[in-house]
Amino acid sequence: MGKWGQDMASERVGVYPGTFDPVTSGHMEVIRRSLRLVDKLVIGPATNIGKGPLFSLQERIDIIKDDIADFSETDKARIQIAPFDGLLIHFAREVGASVIIRGLRAVSDFEYEIQMANMNARMEPNIETIFLMASDRHQFIASSLVKDIARLGGDTSQFVSKKVFERLKAKFKKT
């Protein structure tokens, strides 16, 4: 037994779901902070996206892999990228998660997220939802805004990694 009575053999698994279209500096902040809370982090890019993503599922997986490439070997070993289709709560159960991690930027995010968290809690009371507030450096960053800026020829380099910046430029290259 651990200090607080928790069996140290049980691994605390967290799921961080999203579209990650593309992954932003805000997403990366949530990933880094999540690693302080869980033993294993499953990043779950959603496959069934009604929004019509800019990047394919494989591209989004590759982008996440690229962006975590600079993490320590220990942290990388604790991350799994597993796309999912269907209900988040079913996916969380499948991977053995005890927590769902959601990043919040603003009050408007909270209204939607609390509804989803409450529905998930009804369906599976043993899985908690944890909200991580974005730092003031990342509060305003949204993948949709980043794509709009890139589409209109703006500089997105302060909102995404260099690798994502290059991918966005290639997607919207004017020929």
Side-chain angles (χ1 to χ4, degrees):
M1 288 291 190
K3 183 176 175 182
W4 303 104
Q6 178 187 7
D7 180 3
M8 296 307 281
S10 66
E11 185 177 54
R12 180 165 298 177
V13 177
V15 168
Y16 179 37
T19 55
F20 305 108
D21 184 42
V23 69
T24 67
S25 301
H27 291 124
M28 295 308 295
E29 176 190 9
V30 170
I31 290 168
R32 283 188 184 89
R33 290 171 58 200
S34 296
L35 288 170
R36 291 186 270 178
L37 303 173
V38 297
D39 301 310
K40 178 181 174 184
L41 181 63
V42 179
I43 302 170
T47 60
N48 185 13
I49 303 171
K51 301 175 187 177
L54 174 64
F55 293 99
S56 71
L57 176 62
Q58 189 57 55
E59 286 174 313
R60 291 182 282 133
I61 291 168
D62 292 344
I63 288 169
I64 295 167
K65 285 180 182 176
D66 284 349
D67 270 15
I68 65 170
D70 295 334
F71 283 24
S72 72
E73 291 304 317
T74 304
D75 282 347
K76 284 191 286 193
R78 295 172 46 215
I79 295 173
Q80 176 185 350
I81 301 167
F84 75 100
D85 189 14
L87 286 178
L88 170 58
I89 203 68
H90 292 166
F91 176 65
R93 263 192 230 131
E94 278 176 33
V95 299
S98 58
V99 296
I100 296 169
I101 298 165
R102 301 295 293 167
L104 296 177
R105 295 176 305 226
V107 173
S108 57
D109 285 348
F110 183 76
E111 292 172 7
Y112 170 76
E113 293 292 345
I114 195 72
Q115 286 180 326
M116 192 162 67
N118 285 330
M119 292 294 284
N120 287 337
R122 281 290 174 106
M123 290 187 284
E124 181 53 74
N126 294 320
I127 299 177
E128 295 291 337
T129 298
I130 297 174
F131 299 111
L132 294 179
M133 294 300 301
S135 68
D136 58 352
R137 286 191 346 249
H138 299 117
Q139 279 181 352
F140 58 91
I141 302 174
S143 293
S144 58
L145 295 175
V146 168
K147 288 185 287 192
D148 287 345
I149 292 167
R151 185 178 293 113
L152 297 170
D155 181 2
T156 60
S157 63
Q158 60 187 316
F159 311 121
V160 297
S161 70
K162 184 170 179 50
K163 293 171 187 173
V164 175
F165 176 72
E166 293 302 326
R167 284 178 181 260
L168 283 166
K169 279 186 5 185
K171 279 281 185 189
F172 294 114
K173 190 174 191 170
K174 306 269 193 253
T175 54

